[in-house]
Amino acid sequence: MSKGTIKKVAGPLVVATGMRDANMFDVCRVADQRLIGEIIEIHGDEASIQVYEETSGLGPGEPVESTNAPLSVDLGPGLIGSIFDGIQRPLVKIMEKTGNNLTRGVEVPALDMEKKWTFVPTANVGDKVDSCDIIGTVQETPVVVQRIMIPNGVKGTIKSITGGEFTLTDTVAVVETANGDVEITMLQKWPVRVGRPYKEKLAPTMPLITGQRVIDTLFPIAKGGTAAIPGPFGSGKTVTQHQLAKWAEADIVVYIGCGERGNEMTDVLNEFPELKDPRTGHSLMERTVLIANTSDMPVAAREASIYVGITIAEYFRDMGYSVALMADSTSRWAEALREMSGRLEEMPGEEGYPAYLGSRLAQFYERAGRVISNGENPREGALSVIGAVSPPGGDISEPVSQATLRIVKVFWGLDSNLAYRRHFPAINWLTSYSLYDKEMGPWFDEAAGGPWMACRGRLMKMLSDEAALEEIVQLVGMDALSAPDRLKMEAARSIREDFLHQDSFHEVDTYTALDKQFLMMKLILAYYDLALEALEKGASVDALVGLAVREKIGRYKYTTQDKIQEEYDNILAELKNEIASINCGEA
């Protein structure tokens, strides 16, 4: 271990001398309180350390000790349902040890090393194994089976394997390798700044279904894709992420509260255990890992929390699970980078952020993907990353939003005007986009059993045309529009109010399956097409706008899944009858 002494303390930055043998990103124990820190810069025998705990009271001359190991996470049974801080310290265990206040320098293992887990072998003696191969399972929660994998760098033949009750550090198998026997336990360690290796990254041809219509239909995200949700305060970033955590087709959810307000994180901690997972019927926490790093916790730990979260997510991805990671919000992480950069007296970039802001964000987002794992028996897993961005005043021209948009493929732009009008999700359909739509088009058409992408294209065109017509209306009034344009405005209003508006608190409307989304699109387009045809035959636009059946089209979203086809057929028949009666009346 390298030992040095503190030379200077500047907020979360500590400069220590006598650290010639230390390496970049080594974890250090700082001062007599043994605070956790990480080396981020070395000049000669001077090391700059970002400390992940409060540094008040530290002074020159106090000891610094390097562990000669990078910041790593413990991976194994016990992760699911846990609540960690930004450096993977279990907050519940710390509370039991120190009370409600987070004490400095407290040392608690990330996972319970004394608890026994039931290990069920799935491999046999004599099997050839490689890194990432599954040798057994542990039923961690009623809904998650943790798959015990061979650690990275181990390749050989299983010499012995035993089932039964074991702690995380007990040997469950022995692998005979070219360099001797290696004992395998259920616990792995992995450095957080290094992505876990895989065999192959797959193309984003399959969507992550969320049940949120504006996302699935207009701006879908791929399994293994990346998305950003920028928006001003109160526009619904956190609520949108909660909806995605609850409903997205992910086996595991990793939720990172990075520098968020304490009350928002408290909402998550209170709500997630209470929320019933719609797919399993159990508590949502039984497939969730929470990392709570609130705004009053040390600033430097925000950066660590992002890396800790994505490393845990990659671990479950390698097991073959589909993992959704929510980072709320990366702006707070960028603020931590800005503060540390200022303390290091680096040349600032735009708005004081460090010049390497974009590359740090890219390193984070590029760890997403749908991949084939390593090993003799590879499997497919996916890690989808959804990052919230909190631009000051909702101005997405600021550096963090722009750097994020250059990296991610999906942009869900939240609009405060929509939020004030109580239109949720407040995703602006004119500014948002998805770059995955063309690659996933064939999948949607096949899943819907019809021209999904063609219907989607028509909806987008209608919403775009409505925005142009709205400008004319504001200048000269609705009476200046032609009858077809008035009809188009009404159909677009139906898209906005009946299709895009979704009530997250309604038991039916909170989630919409793909087949129902397709039927909803077809109903709105059927109304527009039939009304346009009637208009050409001389029908009155006022009569077409005031059709009684439009109320039923609007309320179709509250139809339960088992009755969607029957209700669709009834509404379509009623629509045709009402338009036919208008035509007869006009004639």
Side-chain angles (χ1 to χ4, degrees):
M1 286 191 181
S2 306
K3 293 191 177 180
T5 53
I6 294 177
K7 178 184 177 184
K8 183 178 88 168
V9 179
L13 177 71
V14 168
V15 178
T17 57
M19 305 289 289
R20 190 173 293 280
D21 297 332
N23 300 308
M24 279 288 285
F25 300 122
D26 276 0
V27 171
C28 296
R29 288 290 181 173
V30 179
D32 297 321
Q33 293 102 316
R34 294 183 59 75
L35 310 183
I36 297 176
E38 187 181 19
I39 295 175
I40 55 172
E41 194 174 81
I42 297 177
H43 292 293
D45 74 336
E46 281 191 4
S48 298
I49 303 161
Q50 65 175 357
V51 181
Y52 293 134
E53 298 181 73
E54 181 59 50
T55 59
S56 59
L58 300 192
E62 293 194 59
V64 174
E65 188 180 284
S66 168
T67 61
N68 293 119
L71 182 64
S72 302
V73 285
D74 289 350
L75 303 169
L79 284 171
I80 299 293
S82 294
I83 303 160
F84 300 108
D85 74 351
I87 44 179
Q88 212 205 6
R89 294 184 301 180
L91 292 174
V92 174
K93 291 284 183 189
I94 290 175
M95 187 189 72
E96 290 170 3
K97 187 172 180 179
T98 67
N100 287 337
N101 291 323
L102 197 59
T103 309
R104 294 196 297 175
V106 63
E107 293 186 48
V108 179
L111 301 176
D112 190 338
M113 298 298 171
E114 295 174 6
K115 182 174 179 179
K116 294 204 167 184
W117 299 89
T118 304
F119 174 75
V120 180
T122 56
N124 301 307
V125 173
D127 286 358
K128 284 192 169 11
V129 289
D130 202 345
S131 305
C132 218
D133 274 330
I134 295 168
I135 58 167
T137 61
V138 170
Q139 187 75 44
E140 188 169 359
T141 70
V143 296
V144 174
V145 174
Q146 177 124 197
R147 296 159 186 167
I148 306 303
M149 297 179 288
I150 295 289
N152 193 49
V154 177
K155 182 177 182 179
T157 307
I158 294 180
K159 190 175 180 181
S160 68
I161 187 165
T162 315
E165 302 274 317
F166 297 100
T167 65
L168 295 181
T169 52
D170 289 340
T171 301
V172 295
V174 176
V175 175
E176 193 176 341
T177 71
N179 301 319
D181 291 355
V182 176
E183 294 183 346
I184 306 296
T185 67
M186 292 189 280
L187 179 69
Q188 290 190 25
K189 280 188 178 292
W190 191 266
V192 298
R193 291 178 182 272
V194 180
R196 286 176 63 91
Y198 49 82
K199 190 169 283 181
E200 179 190 354
K201 189 172 268 192
L202 303 173
T205 55
M206 185 187 300
L208 178 72
I209 302 302
T210 66
Q212 311 307 300
R213 294 187 290 270
V214 65
I215 292 175
D216 290 345
T217 302
L218 300 188
F219 313 112
I221 177 175
K223 253 189 188 168
T226 54
I229 318 180
F233 175 76
S235 58
K237 294 186 294 295
T238 303
V239 173
T240 304
Q241 288 199 320
H242 286 196
Q243 278 293 94
L244 296 176
K246 186 178 180 184
W247 292 105
E249 282 187 354
D251 304 306
I252 310 287
V253 174
V254 179
Y255 192 98
I256 308 168
C258 176
E260 282 304 294
R261 297 167 197 81
N263 59 340
E264 286 193 8
M265 209 60 222
T266 305
D267 284 346
V268 175
L269 299 179
N270 286 335
E271 283 177 20
F272 274 35
E274 299 296 323
L275 284 175
K276 196 174 181 184
D277 185 351
R279 294 196 295 162
T280 63
H282 291 272
S283 164
L284 191 61
M285 276 303 289
E286 293 187 347
R287 62 180 181 94
T288 303
V289 181
L290 287 179
I291 295 168
N293 185 239
T294 56
S295 53
D296 64 337
M297 289 180 173
V299 168
R302 293 178 189 176
E303 185 183 11
S305 67
I306 290 284
Y307 290 118
V308 165
I310 201 158
T311 306
I312 291 171
E314 285 178 332
Y315 174 64
F316 285 106
R317 175 206 71 190
D318 288 348
M319 292 182 198
Y321 287 123
S322 171
V323 186
L325 180 135
M326 315 288 167
D328 187 13
S329 87
T330 54
S331 294
R332 309 276 182 264
W333 166 35
E335 286 166 12
L337 287 178
R338 178 165 62 182
E339 175 161 345
M340 291 309 301
S341 177
R343 301 277 186 192
L344 290 167
E345 299 175 5
E346 295 172 339
M347 183 69 76
E350 193 181 350
E351 289 188 25
Y353 288 102
Y356 48 78
L357 172 68
S359 64
R360 287 285 175 89
L361 284 166
Q363 285 167 13
F364 168 66
Y365 281 107
E366 74 178 6
R367 288 169 73 170
R370 189 163 64 97
V371 305
I372 301 293
S373 69
N374 285 331
E376 297 279 337
N377 300 297
R379 66 209 74 88
E380 183 185 308
L383 167 53
S384 312
V385 176
I386 298 153
V389 185
S390 310
D395 175 19
I396 64 163
S397 64
E398 55 88 43
V400 182
S401 300
Q402 288 303 307
T404 303
L405 293 184
R406 282 195 289 272
I407 299 158
V408 301
K409 295 288 192 75
V410 179
F411 169 55
W412 297 321
L414 294 174
D415 189 327
S416 55
N417 290 329
L418 288 175
Y420 293 146
R421 298 206 306 256
R422 296 290 179 264
H423 178 108
F424 290 103
I427 294 173
N428 188 315
W429 48 86
L430 299 174
T431 57
S432 303
Y433 60 80
S434 169
L435 301 181
Y436 294 120
D437 52 354
K438 289 186 172 56
E439 286 179 281
M440 296 191 298
W443 189 97
F444 275 112
D445 286 347
E446 187 179 338
W452 173 286
M453 293 305 287
C455 290
R456 171 189 179 271
R458 290 190 63 195
L459 256 61
M460 297 278 278
K461 175 80 166 61
M462 225 175 276
L463 290 167
S464 174
D465 290 349
E466 183 204 26
L469 291 170
E470 191 69 49
E471 291 181 14
I472 298 170
V473 170
Q474 287 175 355
L475 284 171
V476 291
M478 184 67 83
D479 295 337
L481 291 183
S482 64
D485 282 346
R486 272 192 67 191
L487 191 63
K488 184 177 281 187
M489 289 279 283
E490 278 299 315
R493 185 169 71 85
S494 187
I495 295 169
R496 284 190 287 107
E497 295 179 2
D498 304 335
F499 186 79
L500 298 182
H501 183 277
Q502 193 165 354
D503 185 351
S504 62
F505 297 105
H506 191 282
E507 59 181 355
V508 175
D509 197 34
T510 185
Y511 177 88
T512 307
L514 275 188
D515 52 351
K516 185 175 173 184
Q517 292 186 40
F518 187 49
L519 292 176
M520 287 176 74
M521 280 197 284
K522 283 167 68 177
L523 268 182
I524 293 168
L525 291 171
Y527 161 72
Y528 178 66
D529 291 340
L530 290 169
L532 197 60
E533 197 178 304
L535 198 65
E536 288 168 356
K537 292 178 180 174
S540 156
V541 69
D542 291 324
L544 293 168
V545 166
L547 289 176
V549 74
R550 291 193 65 200
E551 176 72 20
K552 291 190 176 178
I553 294 174
R555 298 195 64 77
Y556 179 68
K557 60 185 175 185
Y558 302 121
T559 305
T560 53
Q561 187 65 23
D562 55 333
K563 294 180 180 169
I564 55 169
Q565 189 61 50
E566 178 190 344
E567 187 68 12
Y568 170 81
D569 293 337
N570 291 342
I571 293 173
L572 193 60
E574 200 172 323
L575 175 66
K576 288 176 178 174
N577 288 339
E578 285 194 19
I579 286 184
S581 67
I582 286 177
N583 283 334
C584 292
E586 296 290 339

